[in-house]
Amino acid sequence: MIHWPAIIESGDGHDYAWVAGPEEVDAQRPSLGDRLFDSQGYAHLLSQQTGGALYWQPLLRLVSLPELNAGLKVYAASLGVCCTSKLVVRTPAEAIALVAWLEQQ
């Protein structure tokens, strides 16, 4: 079960997209290997069934905040945000709010 809203992290870890709910996921064009982090901190990996259907496979761990912070700093810097060294999120909900804010800039 995915707790919305969420963010999708590209497979290379350098791009993020905010999604309010499942109806917005397809618009982000996720690809195999992308990860979704939900508002409760659960991680999901975009996988493919043998028949070809894509699905979000729950991972057996919560999102790593140090790893997420590192990726978000790179993402923010790529968008031209200054002072990214001071950027720190303490919860998955803060990370989701940050990505939503960055998309509006």
Side-chain angles (χ1 to χ4, degrees):
M1 171 185 223
I2 297 174
H3 304 274
W4 304 99
I7 54 176
I8 298 173
E9 177 190 59
S10 66
D12 64 9
H14 294 108
D15 193 31
Y16 293 85
W18 180 84
V19 288
E23 65 282 349
E24 295 182 9
V25 171
D26 288 342
Q28 300 302 325
R29 298 179 181 239
S31 57
L32 286 176
D34 287 357
R35 294 187 298 174
L36 182 144
F37 304 121
D38 72 20
S39 59
Q40 297 295 312
Y42 294 102
H44 307 265
L45 179 68
L46 189 59
S47 301
Q48 189 168 23
Q49 295 176 339
T50 305
L54 297 175
Y55 69 100
W56 291 105
Q57 176 184 353
L59 300 177
L60 299 177
R61 64 179 181 88
L62 294 174
V63 62
S64 163
L65 288 175
E67 180 184 324
L68 187 56
N69 273 304
L72 289 171
K73 286 178 183 181
V74 171
Y75 176 60
S78 74
L79 297 175
V81 174
C82 70
C83 305
T84 57
S85 63
K86 296 179 182 181
L87 187 146
V88 176
V89 295
R90 296 177 299 273
T91 66
E94 285 182 6
I96 291 166
L98 175 64
V99 171
W101 180 80
L102 288 170
E103 286 185 352
Q104 295 175 357
Q105 301 308 306

